[in-house]
Amino acid sequence: MVHFVGAGPGAPDLITRRGAALLQTADCIIYAGSLVNPALLGLAGPDCAIYNSAEMTLEQVLAVMKENEAAHKTTVRLHTGDPCLYGAIREQMDALDAMGIAYDDTPGVSSFCGAAAALNAEYTLPGVSQTVIITRMEGRTPVPEGERLAALAAHGATMVIFLSIGLIDRVQDALLQGAYTAATPAAVVYKATWPEQKIVHCTVGTLVESTRAAGITKTALIVVGDFLAAQYDRSKLYDPAFTTEFRRGTDR
Ligand code: SAH
């Protein structure tokens, strides 16, 4: 059996208990070495075989899974954050289906949640934005026409941009073509939840210069929107006037 596991954003104690238990009992771990904290490999048993997928192709990863399955061994495929975002798990799952190998998926804390925690921020503030757009700038990996950053920026919603810090010039240009202005707050979060975490507060207009000044070139998220500003409405849910299924408000 193959277990896909979300490693969390970096801090080793942010993996789920289920994910940690799977690492402890795995016969083999294939981890995404470019981003997964190697400290997690310390959970592996002494006889566990460990592979770094950063140095492997999809075919090589599948070959290791197939070999383990034939020997009735358990493989953990350890992806950074949550495997469902930019994890390239679908192609692995489809191949495993074709080979008749069973698998399951254990979620993890995505880096976009790690970044919000680092910022002490709420992405969905009443009166500001009730939508989070998770996206990336097109680079060597194309993005569908209708999802170009400039088009998504038209919504002015909270935006979290993955995999794009190396294209920060183009990100800034695209954001300014939408509903954001040069004064819209933004932040760059480098290695959220790792000891070397860095946070840069800036605006859309100063994204490029602030990122350069901080020397951030990889492993970062760009977050944009007025959720980083001071103004918002208080929640209805906790408003004394508001009646809910669990609490009678003063409006009744
Ligand atoms: N599945 C992962 C994302 C993998 S794509 C998740 O859920 O987080 C890799 C990109 O994620 C990086 O280029 C960077 O943009 C972002 N990333 C991953 N870990 C990060 C972290 N600790 N801090 C900031 N960004 C991170």
Side-chain angles (χ1 to χ4, degrees), residues 9 35 80-82 85-86 110-111 162-163 189 191-192 194 219-221:
L35 284 167
T80 183
D82 188 287
L85 289 172
Y86 308 109
S110 175
S111 60
F162 282 69
L163 293 160
V189 184
K191 289 202 128 182
W194 291 69
T219 324
L221 290 170

